[in-house]
Amino acid sequence: MEERSNCVQIQLEEELPTLLRTATTEEMVGFDNYKDNNLPLPHFISRFHPYHASTTTSNGQEASRSSMEAHRSYIEDLKETAPWMQINHQRKPSLSMPTSPNILMISDPTSTSSDNNTVSTGKSVKFISQPMAKVSSLYIGSGNDDDDRLRRHDNHHHDQQHQQSGQLQNQNPAMHKLKDHRYTSFKTWSGKLERQFTRKPAAIEPETPNRSKENINTNEAMPVDRYYAALEGPELETLRPLEEIVLPSEQTWPFLLRYPISTFGMCLGVSSQAIMWKTLATAEPTKFLHVPLWINQALWFISVALVFTIAIIYLLKIILYFEAVRREYYHPIRINFFFAPFISFLFLALGVPPSIMTELPQFLWYLLMFPFICLELKIYGQWMSGGQRRLSRVANPTNHLSIVGNFVGALLGASMGLREGPIFFYAVGMAHYLVLFVTLYQRLPTNETLPKDLHPVFFLFVAAPSVASMAWAKITGSFEYGSKVCYFIAIFLYFSLAVRINFFRGIKFSLSWWAYTFPMTGAAIATIRYATVVRSTMTQVMCVILCTIATLVVFALLVITIVHAFVLRDLFPNDNAIAISTRPKRKQTSHHRWLDQLRNVSSENIENYLKFTDSDSSQSNDLEAGNGKIPENDSA
């Protein structure tokens, strides 16, 4: 019998693996034998036991407290009866595994320290990293109530910090925009400054997943055809439906990116008012009005503050977002507004109050006219060269701004006592004005009518001849035939636009409205100069009417602009004109369109389709069934 039991035991030992062999108390040192000691088996309650779970009943809290007290008393009894069975709850150190499947060699714990310092000769275990699920520490118990309480407190503190950081980010959206990398392409100091100031071809950079959808080639000039293909509207500022922009369209851009060069149109309107009220106070035909000079002084100081405020803001845009300024310069319409700040400086010089300065130094005229000669050599050369920026391609009423500066400079130079310089600029301006006038009348670029929002800009037709009449009168010393010809052209264009009231109804407010102010003020000043030669009641009445209309229009536009800028805050929307992509959007093939339609199919559409196709009883909705009955009826 003993031999049979031994055989069975040997057979079991051979069949079982090494990890499942039974180990007796004699074979292992320090093995706990509860039978010999006659001690009760320790009963441990898990943290996830129902006793630990909190209930919503009124007796739940008492039950959990009683179970906790029973567990503590049991632990104290074990400490007294069996000190060797003390439970020492310690947080186990975590071992973070490598992210790559490298081999981790762990030496045998039986080896000595000297062996470990040299070469590990013990057993090695191979570990291969596996993806580990991120489990919140709130749901993992360590066995120690104090440690778990501290861990829950740390997690709660971390959540509070995360919420506070999110609140600070919402409170400071401007700081978040400064750190947004999607605007880096337009920033001056973005590491690509040498490519923004040169036309040298840039190296092709590798594409990254976080990169924007469209690569911005900041080293190449945007072709003018691209502006016409991607934009539409009064001043080519509205994005076409099938086009995309390189800046995020779902949020508001930084203020400097939304600040256009056309804002200087306000400076032209306000500073020209200072000249008009100075003329009203000093001219002979308007002496009967008794206009005080303090109005001229107040308007002049307001104009100075407005011009320098707008100029400083735009200078910040040049410093911080040079790429945006460069795109505005290549814009076929906005390039003309680069003359506006320098024309405003000329207006400030013409409207300076007599109490501040009566005679201006002549070197100031050369300093103010230098930017004009530089811009005109560039723009007029493009008009004449016959390239993609030829005049017949880019002609627009805003081109008058690039010509008016010649006549304003000639007027200022003649009032300072200069002669040759003013005649030079007057001749250059008159030659290009005649070409532009004929080109705009023929409408060579397109035969389409301008949108309604651009109709106020037609008043720029009045600005050039009205200022030219005063400039030629100042050069020759009298308001003779040449000046009268220019003045009559300006008055005819003024009234031909004023009688077309239907053109100016239902127009949405924009900065293009300021095109009313400067030409209307110039026509009023020219009428005062004409009234000095032709003294009559008719000319005096015209002076009063035109000056009143110009003043009311400027005041109304100034109030509306302030309301839209500071109350409604919609004066400067996202400027899509500077964010168009360098290449047109790729046309979708039939295969891509089919995929887009398949993605956009909703479950409701599928249910509706199946509802009508599966219903055989409702034959009125089945076109094929209805068509199939027609031959049967006919045959019958």
Side-chain angles (χ1 to χ4, degrees):
M1 194 70 183
E2 293 179 357
E3 293 178 358
R4 184 177 180 182
S5 63
N6 292 332
C7 293
V8 172
Q9 183 177 2
I10 293 172
Q11 184 177 0
L12 290 173
E13 290 180 356
E14 292 177 355
E15 292 178 356
L16 292 175
T18 56
L19 294 177
L20 299 180
R21 290 179 183 177
T22 58
T24 60
T25 58
E26 292 81 9
E27 293 177 356
M28 298 183 65
V29 180
F31 191 82
D32 297 331
N33 192 349
Y34 298 100
K35 296 180 180 179
D36 298 340
N37 296 331
N38 296 324
L39 292 175
L41 293 175
H43 180 69
F44 298 100
I45 301 175
S46 173
R47 290 179 58 86
F48 302 100
H49 196 272
Y51 286 159
H52 285 277
S54 60
T55 60
T56 56
T57 60
S58 59
N59 298 329
Q61 296 181 355
E62 297 178 0
S64 61
R65 290 177 183 175
S66 60
S67 61
M68 293 285 291
E69 292 177 359
H71 181 65
R72 290 177 182 174
S73 61
Y74 178 77
I75 295 299
E76 292 177 358
D77 294 340
L78 286 178
K79 290 181 180 180
E80 294 177 359
T81 55
W84 53 273
M85 291 181 61
Q86 293 182 5
I87 301 172
N88 186 13
H89 294 290
Q90 294 181 359
R91 183 179 295 178
K92 302 301 181 181
S94 61
L95 178 63
S96 52
M97 301 303 295
T99 57
S100 60
N102 296 328
I103 298 175
L104 180 63
M105 305 299 293
I106 299 180
S107 60
D108 189 5
T110 58
S111 60
T112 60
S113 60
S114 60
D115 297 335
N116 293 333
N117 294 333
T118 57
V119 180
S120 177
T121 58
K123 297 180 181 179
S124 62
V125 183
K126 182 185 294 185
F127 292 95
I128 299 177
S129 64
Q130 298 292 335
M132 301 177 65
K134 295 182 179 180
V135 183
S136 176
S137 58
L138 292 173
Y139 301 98
I140 300 177
S142 61
N144 194 345
D145 295 337
D146 296 335
D147 294 340
D148 294 335
R149 193 180 300 109
L150 289 174
R151 185 180 299 176
R152 287 193 294 269
H153 176 72
D154 294 340
N155 285 321
H156 180 67
H157 182 66
H158 176 71
D159 294 339
Q160 287 182 348
Q161 289 182 349
H162 183 70
Q163 293 177 359
Q164 291 178 359
S165 62
Q167 293 177 358
L168 291 175
Q169 180 176 345
N170 296 331
Q171 293 177 359
N172 299 324
M175 296 298 296
H176 177 64
K177 290 180 182 178
L178 290 176
K179 297 180 181 179
D180 198 342
H181 297 286
R182 290 178 292 183
Y183 305 102
T184 306
S185 310
F186 285 79
K187 292 181 180 179
T188 305
W189 313 106
S190 60
K192 301 179 181 180
L193 183 63
E194 67 282 357
R195 291 183 354 184
Q196 294 176 356
F197 285 96
T198 181
R199 299 175 64 89
K200 183 179 179 181
I204 300 176
E205 299 179 0
E207 296 184 357
T208 57
N210 296 329
R211 199 168 181 176
S212 60
K213 292 183 291 186
E214 189 71 31
N215 185 18
I216 302 176
N217 297 325
T218 57
N219 60 313
E220 296 180 0
M222 186 76 68
V224 67
D225 294 335
R226 184 72 192 111
Y227 285 100
Y228 285 108
L231 300 172
E232 61 183 359
E235 296 179 0
L236 291 182
E237 56 186 5
T238 305
L239 194 69
R240 293 185 183 272
L242 298 179
E243 293 292 335
E244 295 180 351
I245 57 177
V246 296
L247 293 180
S249 59
E250 67 277 0
Q251 65 181 9
T252 305
W253 303 347
F255 173 71
L256 293 178
L257 282 177
R258 296 181 286 112
Y259 194 78
I261 186 66
S262 56
T263 313
F264 283 98
M266 295 188 296
C267 303
L268 298 177
V270 179
S271 58
S272 62
Q273 282 287 307
I275 302 174
M276 187 190 73
W277 285 94
K278 179 182 178 180
T279 308
L280 283 173
T282 57
E284 289 294 332
T286 55
K287 282 291 185 180
F288 69 96
L289 296 175
H290 303 286
V291 178
L293 277 173
W294 66 265
I295 300 178
N296 165 247
Q297 295 178 1
L299 289 173
W300 189 80
F301 283 112
I302 293 174
S303 302
V304 170
L306 183 63
V307 169
F308 280 95
T309 301
I310 295 177
I312 290 173
I313 295 175
Y314 199 80
L315 183 62
L316 291 176
K317 181 178 180 179
I318 296 175
I319 296 173
L320 298 178
Y321 297 100
F322 183 79
E323 173 61 22
V325 178
R326 197 175 70 91
R327 284 176 171 242
E328 281 189 312
Y329 177 77
Y330 288 114
H331 195 280
I333 294 177
R334 293 193 182 182
I335 187 175
N336 301 289
F337 284 94
F338 280 88
F339 288 89
F342 306 108
I343 297 175
S344 301
F345 291 143
L346 295 177
F347 283 168
L348 293 177
L350 287 171
V352 60
S355 59
I356 297 178
M357 186 176 294
T358 55
E359 294 183 1
L360 298 174
Q362 294 184 355
F363 76 89
L364 182 63
W365 183 83
Y366 293 99
L367 184 63
L368 293 176
M369 295 305 296
F370 179 75
F372 286 94
I373 195 66
C374 296
L375 289 173
E376 288 173 358
L377 288 175
K378 175 68 175 179
I379 296 176
Y380 293 172
Q382 291 178 350
W383 291 359
M384 186 175 55
S385 62
Q388 62 176 353
R389 297 181 183 272
R390 61 190 181 276
L391 182 60
S392 60
R393 185 73 178 92
V394 299
N396 192 273
T398 55
N399 293 125
H400 286 97
L401 291 175
S402 60
I403 294 176
V404 170
N406 295 294
F407 301 126
V408 179
L411 176 61
L412 178 61
S415 62
M416 290 181 178
L418 300 174
R419 187 170 181 83
E420 299 300 326
I423 294 176
F424 168 78
F425 280 98
Y426 184 88
V428 172
M430 183 57 68
H432 289 86
Y433 171 72
L434 294 176
V435 175
L436 178 62
F437 185 82
V438 174
T439 304
L440 290 176
Y441 255 63
Q442 292 180 349
R443 302 295 299 156
L444 291 180
T446 57
N447 292 325
E448 300 176 359
T449 58
L450 290 172
K452 272 191 172 183
D453 292 343
L454 194 56
H455 287 156
V457 186
F458 271 111
F459 271 89
L460 288 174
F461 277 95
V462 183
S466 60
V467 180
S469 63
M470 294 184 288
W472 186 250
K474 204 68 174 178
I475 291 172
T476 58
S478 62
F479 207 94
E480 295 297 336
Y481 295 109
S483 300
K484 290 180 180 179
V485 169
C486 295
Y487 170 72
F488 291 147
I489 294 174
I491 291 298
F492 174 78
L493 294 174
Y494 185 94
F495 287 111
S496 65
L497 293 173
V499 296
R500 287 169 172 82
I501 305 298
N502 294 329
F503 280 178
F504 311 105
R505 291 181 180 177
I507 302 176
K508 184 181 178 181
F509 176 77
S510 64
L511 291 176
S512 63
W513 280 32
W514 282 96
Y516 284 111
T517 59
F518 159 53
M520 296 175 69
T521 306
I525 299 172
T527 303
I528 297 174
R529 297 299 183 188
Y530 175 73
T532 57
V533 179
V534 182
R535 298 290 297 272
S536 65
T537 306
M538 182 65 181
T539 56
Q540 291 179 344
V541 171
M542 287 181 60
C543 292
V544 175
I545 293 175
L546 293 180
C547 291
T548 302
I549 294 175
T551 303
L552 292 177
V553 169
V554 170
F555 180 76
L557 284 181
L558 185 61
V559 172
I560 295 174
T561 304
I562 293 174
V563 170
H564 279 269
F566 299 102
V567 179
L568 301 178
R569 296 187 177 183
D570 58 352
L571 184 64
F572 301 105
N574 289 344
D575 193 3
N576 294 327
I578 64 171
I580 61 174
S581 57
T582 56
R583 289 169 292 185
K585 184 179 179 180
R586 184 179 300 176
K587 295 183 179 180
Q588 292 184 347
T589 60
S590 59
H591 177 67
H592 291 89
R593 286 195 297 268
W594 182 80
L595 289 177
D596 293 339
Q597 293 177 0
L598 185 62
R599 295 191 190 99
N600 297 328
V601 172
S602 62
S603 59
E604 296 180 358
N605 295 334
I606 296 175
E607 292 177 359
N608 293 332
Y609 175 77
L610 295 176
K611 183 189 301 182
F612 290 105
T613 54
D614 294 341
S615 60
D616 297 333
S617 60
S618 59
Q619 297 179 357
S620 60
N621 295 328
D622 195 351
L623 296 178
E624 295 181 357
N627 294 330
K629 287 183 178 182
I630 295 174
E632 296 176 0
N633 296 331
D634 295 340
S635 61

